Amino acid sequence: MNQSTDSPSNPAPNGTVVERPKYTRRATSAGNDFQGQLKILQGATNGDNGVEGVETVTVDGKPVKIKHSGIVRTIPHEDSVAIPPGSGLDLVATLFYKTCSSETVDQDESTARPSRQDIHYGAYISDMAIFEFIQTIDRLIVPWKKGSAYHRSLDSSQSPQVVEIALSMPQMLNLDDLRRHSDLWQFEQKWNIEVVLQQNDVFRRYRRLAVFDMDSTLIQQEVIDEIARFIGVEEKVSAITARAMNGELDFTQSLKERVSLLKGVPATVFEDLKSVITFTNGAKELCKVLKKLGYKMAVLSGGFIPLANYIKQELGLDYAYANQLVVSQDGKELTGELTGDIVHAEHKAVLLEKIASENGIPLQQVVAIGDGANDLKMMRKAGLGIALNAKPNVQAEAPCRINSTTMQDVLYLLGLTKEEQVQLLKD
């Protein structure tokens, strides 16, 4: 059942007018209170199901006429599939309920932040949130046409934290524009949800190469800051690192400046650091699953090769590229200089393309994950580029973003359910 109002309709290409209905959904497994909640949302205060031509008044006093739209949304059963074969749906959205605090991307000050609605339904992705997300995308379809949508929970059918929705892509927008649309930002703020959008094609389901940044991505530390701690210049080096990762400084120049402060550090520092390196939560699980699925994996780091090789060995990666520090002739200490190619933003993108080419992997089948401004070029080069717990300005520029307590959540973007992840993690 739908409401028709005096709001403008969308013209079809042939000049006729097509009214845009508001969707309703038939409750199946989601509970008996859904239809009541839906009536409150739409202002349908009279009748059980709404009758063709019946007039009523919304909660804000606006007169409306209820009529059939011919569109029904259903809540899938636990054993449903996300995208039925031959559906023709070309957009996939993965919705994450935000369970951790993050530095989010804000719109301009003129955009009012909506009030939180998830507090009324529980700390999960509710049916009402799913309903409103489908409506949000539907409003962006110009000219409007009847469409379909299908969704499934990827972790829990009772109180889902991750939901995958397949629907039609608005023709007037490209994927980058849609990802940054203010309507999606409003939805995310209102329901405490992060949305990741992907093109629904064969490459989304069959990635083959994953490349990672190292510092603050696969591991929790910034290695150069840890080295600086040995000689008491940590504060100065950390300040330069933060500005470089935020995109405020040229990476190459800032790296040389920081490395110059490391002159005299014992060459054994990398062995000492291995004992303090902390892997990011979920990094080992993510790499284990990808390895079982046959992925090639690489670490492309603006840090240093001794620790990049250590990370490669610990996580079972196939490639490691990073910067090389010069050691004194007697092999006892660092000279404060670099040798060889510097692994900056442009070089990371080149390395990604090189590894993909060597393995006969199209770029559409590559996943690139990082947190800094120097990771943006490789993110854009990959079929799926993810800013993981990144600074706000990096999140704003990245193709996709996740703010999560575990890297394992990346697997949801590949369409893997929680149950499938558990199965793949078994030895």
Side-chain angles (χ1 to χ4, degrees):
M1 305 303 296
N2 302 283
Q3 305 166 9
S4 64
T5 69
D6 295 330
S7 58
S9 300
N10 294 311
N14 60 8
T16 60
V17 174
V18 180
E19 290 189 358
R20 179 193 303 274
K22 293 184 178 180
Y23 294 135
T24 64
R25 299 166 65 213
R26 179 183 297 118
T28 56
S29 61
N32 297 327
D33 62 340
F34 180 79
Q35 287 293 341
Q37 295 170 347
L38 188 58
K39 289 179 183 178
I40 293 173
L41 177 71
Q42 295 191 324
T45 56
N46 295 339
D48 291 331
N49 297 311
V51 180
E52 184 78 26
V54 170
E55 293 187 356
T56 186
V57 178
T58 65
V59 291
D60 58 358
K62 186 175 182 179
V64 297
K65 183 179 289 186
I66 300 177
K67 67 175 186 178
H68 286 288
S69 68
I71 296 177
V72 177
R73 298 295 180 199
T74 59
I75 301 171
H77 297 290
E78 293 182 21
D79 59 350
S80 63
V81 294
I83 309 173
S87 66
L89 302 176
D90 52 2
L91 180 67
V92 170
T94 309
L95 277 57
F96 292 88
Y97 185 80
K98 293 169 63 176
T99 57
C100 64
S101 59
S102 61
E103 298 183 76
T104 56
V105 183
D106 284 333
Q107 300 289 84
D108 59 81
E109 295 181 359
S110 64
T111 305
R113 184 181 294 271
S115 60
R116 287 270 298 273
Q117 292 298 306
D118 60 302
I119 58 176
H120 302 302
Y121 296 93
Y124 61 95
I125 301 176
S126 66
D127 296 321
M128 296 301 287
I130 296 171
F131 174 87
E132 185 165 325
F133 177 77
I134 295 172
Q135 278 197 318
T136 298
I137 298 297
D138 178 71
R139 285 194 299 268
L140 300 177
I141 298 177
V142 179
W144 184 84
K145 62 180 180 180
K146 283 188 178 182
S148 60
Y150 205 86
H151 78 271
R152 63 170 177 169
S153 166
L154 295 182
D155 61 339
S156 167
S157 61
Q158 299 301 316
S159 301
Q161 304 285 310
V162 189
V163 171
E164 182 183 82
I165 305 177
L167 62 173
S168 296
M169 175 76 187
Q171 295 180 5
M172 301 296 288
L173 296 171
N174 61 42
L175 195 54
D176 284 340
D177 291 337
L178 183 57
R179 284 166 172 161
R180 291 163 175 77
H181 202 285
S182 60
D183 285 5
L184 258 65
W185 180 86
Q186 289 277 342
F187 169 82
E188 289 180 318
Q189 300 301 309
K190 181 176 180 179
W191 291 100
N192 194 39
I193 286 171
E194 282 189 340
V195 178
V196 178
L197 301 176
Q198 298 181 70
Q199 188 79 27
N200 180 35
D201 55 25
V202 67
F203 299 115
R204 182 189 77 89
R205 300 187 297 274
Y206 299 101
R207 311 285 186 191
R208 296 169 56 197
L209 169 64
V211 298
F212 304 93
D213 175 44
M214 182 173 71
D215 295 9
S216 297
T217 300
L218 287 176
I219 63 174
Q220 295 181 12
Q221 293 89 350
E222 289 286 339
V223 170
I224 195 168
D225 295 349
E226 297 300 318
I227 298 174
R229 194 191 305 273
F230 278 79
I231 55 175
V233 293
E234 178 191 7
E235 186 174 340
K236 186 173 182 179
V237 170
S238 294
I240 300 173
T241 300
R243 294 182 65 193
M245 292 302 98
N246 215 23
E248 299 172 18
L249 297 175
D250 174 74
F251 178 81
T252 299
Q253 187 58 41
S254 68
L255 178 63
K256 290 180 178 179
E257 184 178 345
R258 286 174 288 164
V259 167
S260 68
L261 298 173
L262 305 182
K263 184 177 181 180
V265 171
T268 58
V269 64
F270 294 109
E271 285 299 319
D272 298 333
L273 282 177
K274 289 178 183 179
S275 63
V276 300
I277 289 298
T278 306
F279 285 95
T280 300
N281 185 35
K284 292 183 177 180
E285 290 79 3
L286 171 60
C287 291
K288 182 176 181 179
V289 169
L290 295 182
K291 198 72 173 178
K292 277 194 175 182
L293 292 174
Y295 277 60
K296 293 291 184 179
M297 294 184 289
V299 55
L300 309 180
S301 175
F304 307 110
I305 196 64
L307 281 179
N309 282 330
Y310 169 71
I311 299 302
K312 172 190 171 186
Q313 180 181 353
E314 290 295 303
L315 296 180
L317 310 183
D318 301 286
Y319 301 89
Y321 291 92
N323 299 303
Q324 182 66 61
L325 291 168
V326 177
V327 179
S328 61
Q329 289 186 350
D330 60 10
K332 292 183 178 181
E333 60 184 32
L334 304 180
T335 66
E337 299 171 304
L338 291 163
T339 184
D341 293 331
I342 292 178
V343 184
H344 46 52
E346 291 77 10
H347 196 53
K348 284 189 176 186
V350 169
L351 289 170
L352 180 152
E353 199 162 8
K354 174 178 177 288
I355 296 169
S357 178
E358 287 177 354
N359 290 277
I361 298 173
L363 293 179
Q364 298 97 315
Q365 291 182 279
V366 179
V367 182
I369 304 173
D371 75 299
N374 67 322
D375 299 315
L376 286 170
K377 288 186 183 295
M378 75 171 185
M379 290 183 203
R380 297 187 187 116
K381 181 76 69 172
L384 175 60
I386 305 168
L388 179 70
N389 298 328
K391 294 296 184 182
N393 64 333
V394 177
Q395 293 191 37
E397 293 296 324
C400 301
R401 77 188 194 280
I402 298 180
N403 292 286
S404 173
T405 58
T406 172
M407 287 190 75
Q408 192 174 333
D409 279 353
V410 169
L411 295 173
Y412 290 123
L413 300 183
L414 307 179
L416 293 173
T417 66
K418 187 67 174 178
E419 182 179 358
E420 290 167 335
Q421 293 175 35
V422 170
Q423 184 177 358
L424 286 165
L425 284 169
K426 290 180 180 178
D427 293 326

